[in-house]
Amino acid sequence: MSEKFDEEEISGDFEREYVRLTWLADYFDGDESHPSLNDMEEDFFGMHPISLDEFGNEIIPDEDRDQEQFYDESEDFTEEYEDETEDLDSDETYESRVLSKLSNPMYEWQENALEEWEINDYTGIIEAVTGSGKTFLGIIASAKALDEGLGVVVVVPTRVLQEQWIDEINQYFAKGDEESARIIGGLGGEYGSDLNRRASMPMEGRIVVAVAATFAAREAFHPGNDEAMLIIADEVHRYSGDQHSRVFSENFERRMGLTATFEPVLGRYSLYENYFGESPLYTYSFKDAIRDEVVSEYDVVLVRVILPPQMKYEYDRLWGKVKSIEDKLRFFTKISFAPEKVHREISTLKENNEHIDLVADWENLNDELDSLLSNKATKESTIRMLAPYIDRWGHTVIFTDYVQLAEQLQTILIVDGVYSKLLDSKVRQSERREAFNYFEDGRVKSLVSPRVLDEGVNLPLLSFGIFAGVRRRRLQLVQRLGRVLRKDPNKTWPLICIPVNIGTFEDPLLDGNQTLPYSPLNIIIGNASKVTI
C-alpha cells in the first residue's frame, strides 16, 4: 500500500468524521442520539438536520419548507396501507379493546379530564404531572376518535418519544401480544425515507405518530378541511416557536395538548390560547397525584452547603437587584411573583409589551443567579458526601442542567468507586438502552444526566433523585420529580436530595424562608412526607 494511498484514505475518513461531528448536536429531528460513521450513508437519506434558536425551538430555512417532493409519493403510502385496517370483532370497539387490556380501571382524574375535554368541544390542554398517566389519556382519546371515524396525529418532540408512543399504542391496540396494530404509522425519525417506507399518510381510521420538526415542515401531510382528525400534541409547551407552531393546523377538528406543567417560552402563551382555548383546561398536580396514590409518597433531604465568600458577596448583589426590580413591577402591575405564578405573570407582561426593560433585566439577573448557585464546588462536596449512600442505595439519578458539572460529578463517583454512567448528548441511543438495562439490574448504581432524562424516559426502579445544579424552571423540576415518583411494587421509598446554599433563598433556615417561598423548589418541599435538613 503506497504512502499516497494511505494519506488519501485518512483524509477521506477525516472528512467523513468531520461531517458526522457537525451533525451530532442537531441529529435527526431533534433527537440527541448519535450516528455512527457506518450508519451515516443509510440514516442521512431522507432525514434533515436542524438548528435551534435561543429558546430551543427548531429553525427551518425557507428552502426546506418547499421540499415536499420528498413525500410526493404519499399516494403510494396510502395504497400500501389501504387494506391493512385493524379487524374488530363484531361486538368490539377500539375503546373497549384498549380498556380490556388495562390491569386496573382508569384513574378518576383521567376520566374527569377526558370528560372536561369532550365537554369543551374536544379541545384543550391537559396539565398532569409526570408519572400520572398522560399517555394513556391520549391513547383512550385516540381509540374514541377511531371509533367515530376520525384519524389521529400524535405529535412528539423527539424520535425517542415517537418510538415510546408507537410501542404504547401497539400494546393497547394490537389484537395479540406479539402482533403490531396495523393502524399505526410514523412520520419523521426513521419513518418515511425513500428507502424505508414505514411512514404512513395521516388519514381517517389511522393513528400516525409524527416528530414535530418533520410534521411542521411537511404541510402536505396536514389534514384537509374535509377530513375529520384529532391532534394530540405531547410535551405541548415545546411548540411555541415560529417553526414548530406549524404543527397546529387549523383543520384539526379535535385538539388535545399534554404537558407536565404548562410553561411555554415566556411571551408565547397567546399562541396556545388561540388554538386550544383557556390554558390549561384541566390540571392534575403532585398534591392530587399523591393523595390519589397515583404516584408515590417521598421524603426530602436538604443538604446545606457553604457558598464561598466571593460568591456570597456576588449573590447578595444580584439578589438585591432582583428584589428591587420586583418591587417596581409590583408597584406598576400588581403581579405576585409567587413561584407557581411568576412564569405566567412575566409572560403576560411580555405579550402585552409592558415594562419590557424591567422584565429583561429581571430575566437576565435570574439567569446569573442560577449560574452562580450551581457552582461546582458546593455540588461536588455534596456528591462526595453522598457517594457511599449512592453505592449502597443504587437506582439513583443525579439531575443537573450543566454539562461541565455533570462530567465533574461523574468523575467524583468513579474515583469513589461508584459504578455510574454519564448520559449526555454524546451518548448514542443504543448505549443509553444498555445503561438503562444495567441501571435496572443494579450493575450501574447511578445515572448522571444533564437534561437527557427530562422527557420520555421510564425508569421504574428509580428511587433516589439528587438535584445538583438545576435551574429554577418549574417545568424541569416537575418532570424530574415525576421520574422518581413513578409507582412500582419493586422500588424502595423514594428519596429526593437537594444541596442548598446557606444564606440564600434556597436556605430553609433563614427567617421566614421555611417553605422556600421564593424558590420553585417549594413544589418539592411542600409535597414531601418528611423533610430533613
Side-chain angles (χ1 to χ4, degrees):
M1 185 177 294
S2 70
E3 184 177 348
K4 181 179 179 182
F5 183 82
D6 287 342
E7 288 176 354
E8 289 177 350
E9 184 177 50
I10 292 170
S11 174
D13 284 345
F14 175 81
E15 289 174 3
R16 294 180 71 210
E17 179 67 357
Y18 176 80
V19 171
R20 184 184 77 87
L21 290 172
T22 60
W23 280 55
L24 290 184
D26 299 326
Y27 175 55
F28 297 168
D29 299 325
D31 182 45
E32 297 171 305
S33 58
H34 290 193
S36 68
L37 199 58
N38 295 330
D39 289 340
M40 285 178 58
E41 290 179 1
E42 284 187 20
D43 287 347
F44 278 20
F45 196 87
M47 306 297 180
H48 67 279
I50 69 168
S51 300
L52 304 178
D53 63 20
E54 69 271 28
F55 303 112
N57 295 300
E58 185 189 10
I59 302 169
I60 301 177
D62 289 340
E63 61 268 20
D64 285 352
R65 297 172 198 154
D66 299 322
Q67 292 181 358
E68 309 242 341
Q69 66 270 21
F70 175 73
Y71 289 107
D72 276 349
E73 297 179 291
S74 57
E75 292 180 5
D76 294 340
F77 294 160
T78 303
E79 292 173 7
E80 182 180 346
Y81 284 88
E82 238 172 26
D83 298 323
E84 295 192 3
T85 54
E86 193 74 3
D87 295 326
L88 292 171
D89 296 333
S90 59
D91 58 346
E92 187 183 30
T93 63
Y94 286 114
E95 181 183 4
S96 66
R97 176 179 292 181
V98 168
L99 292 176
S100 71
K101 295 193 177 185
L102 282 177
S103 54
N104 295 301
M106 285 177 64
Y107 291 126
E108 184 178 357
W109 85 263
Q110 292 171 324
E111 294 177 344
N112 293 340
L114 192 62
E115 182 179 4
E116 282 204 33
W117 178 72
E118 291 173 347
I119 291 172
N120 196 50
D121 199 23
Y122 300 92
T123 302
I125 290 175
I126 311 298
E127 179 186 60
V129 293
T130 302
S132 59
K134 292 188 301 297
T135 300
F136 182 78
L137 186 68
I139 286 173
I140 196 68
S142 299
K144 289 189 169 199
L146 291 184
D147 285 333
E148 295 173 44
L150 281 75
V152 181
V153 175
V154 180
V155 180
V156 296
T158 65
R159 291 195 310 155
V160 175
L161 274 172
Q162 180 191 44
E163 295 299 339
Q164 290 189 4
W165 267 91
I166 289 174
D167 288 346
E168 286 271 336
I169 292 170
N170 273 322
Q171 175 186 334
Y172 287 104
F173 281 82
K175 293 185 85 170
D177 292 338
E178 303 299 323
E179 181 182 303
S180 294
R182 292 190 295 271
I183 57 169
I184 310 303
L187 185 62
E190 70 171 282
Y191 299 86
S193 76
D194 289 344
L195 295 179
N196 181 6
R197 296 190 184 181
R198 293 174 62 193
S200 74
M201 186 76 175
M203 61 171 51
E204 295 169 0
R206 179 176 303 150
I207 303 173
V208 174
V209 184
V211 176
T214 302
F215 190 70
R218 311 297 175 192
E219 293 187 7
F221 278 67
H222 294 188
N225 55 19
D226 59 341
E227 296 177 283
M229 302 281 285
L230 159 67
I231 182 173
I232 298 174
D234 192 24
E235 308 294 351
V236 67
H237 56 274
R238 298 269 303 259
Y239 310 136
S240 62
D242 291 340
Q243 305 303 332
H244 275 77
S245 63
R246 291 181 183 154
V247 303
F248 300 137
S249 167
E250 290 298 326
N251 289 334
F252 280 108
E253 179 178 306
R254 299 183 181 183
R255 305 167 183 181
M256 174 181 284
L258 300 174
T259 181
T261 183
F262 185 59
E263 289 192 4
V265 172
L266 288 176
R268 297 183 179 178
Y269 278 82
S270 59
L271 164 74
Y272 293 98
E273 291 183 342
N274 291 336
Y275 194 77
F276 291 99
E278 182 180 350
S279 302
L281 174 68
Y282 187 93
T283 296
Y284 191 65
S285 67
F286 273 121
K287 183 177 180 180
D288 300 327
I290 292 169
R291 177 201 63 215
D292 298 342
E293 299 183 349
V294 172
V295 299
S296 177
E297 296 180 79
Y298 64 101
D299 292 339
V300 170
V301 173
L302 299 179
V303 181
R304 297 174 75 237
V305 292
I306 297 173
L307 201 62
Q310 185 58 36
M311 290 185 176
K312 181 62 168 65
Y313 173 82
E314 181 66 7
Y315 165 82
D316 290 337
R317 184 184 72 83
L318 293 172
W319 185 241
K321 286 188 173 184
V322 167
K323 300 314 289 180
S324 175
I325 291 174
E326 290 184 358
D327 288 342
K328 291 177 183 177
L329 287 173
R330 281 194 186 93
F331 177 79
F332 290 127
T333 67
K334 311 299 183 186
I335 67 176
S336 70
F337 285 101
E340 69 277 9
K341 297 178 181 178
V342 64
H343 199 274
R344 182 59 185 268
E345 291 172 337
I346 291 295
S347 189
T348 299
L349 293 181
K350 292 182 75 169
E351 289 182 32
N352 294 336
N353 207 32
E354 298 178 41
H355 310 290
I356 294 301
D357 291 341
L358 283 175
V359 168
D361 288 344
W362 182 87
E363 289 181 306
N364 292 333
L365 287 166
N366 275 288
D367 284 342
E368 289 186 57
L369 278 172
D370 281 344
S371 297
L372 180 70
L373 295 180
S374 70
N375 76 90
K376 66 177 187 175
T378 58
K379 306 310 183 253
E380 288 171 4
S381 64
T382 302
I383 298 305
R384 285 193 184 95
M385 182 186 71
L386 293 175
Y389 298 94
I390 295 171
D391 196 38
R392 290 201 300 270
W393 193 296
H395 299 126
T396 300
V397 168
I398 302 175
F399 297 103
T400 180
D401 286 324
Y402 302 92
V403 174
Q404 253 188 333
L405 177 59
E407 291 171 347
Q408 187 60 32
L409 298 181
Q410 166 73 349
T411 300
I412 290 170
L413 292 173
I414 291 172
V415 169
D416 287 354
V418 181
Y419 188 21
S420 62
K421 177 69 175 176
L422 174 65
L423 296 182
D424 61 12
S425 60
K426 300 174 186 177
V427 179
R428 298 184 63 197
Q429 187 60 30
S430 58
E431 294 179 63
R432 288 190 208 175
R433 283 194 293 267
E434 182 180 65
F436 294 155
N437 291 335
Y438 287 170
F439 181 83
E440 290 300 303
D441 66 23
R443 281 180 282 178
V444 168
K445 300 292 186 179
S446 172
L447 302 174
V448 184
S449 169
R451 302 193 63 176
V452 168
L453 302 182
D454 286 4
E455 296 174 347
V457 175
N458 183 17
L459 300 171
L461 299 182
L462 169 59
S463 56
F464 190 10
I466 302 173
F467 289 63
V470 296
R471 292 183 180 273
R472 289 178 292 155
R473 186 94 189 269
R474 190 178 180 86
L475 171 63
Q476 271 77 45
L477 294 175
V478 170
Q479 289 174 323
R480 292 164 177 175
L481 180 59
R483 296 272 166 266
V484 187
L485 303 192
R486 286 185 185 273
K487 298 194 79 171
D488 189 280
N490 298 313
K491 74 189 294 180
T492 55
W493 183 277
L495 178 65
I496 304 294
C497 179
I498 310 173
V500 295
N501 293 282
I502 293 174
T504 71
F505 61 79
E506 297 180 336
D507 187 354
L509 296 189
L510 284 180
D511 288 343
N513 203 44
Q514 288 80 3
T515 61
L516 306 184
Y518 302 108
S519 172
L521 292 174
N522 67 359
I523 193 174
I524 300 177
I525 308 301
N527 291 298
S529 298
K530 182 173 70 172
V531 178
T532 302
I533 301 173

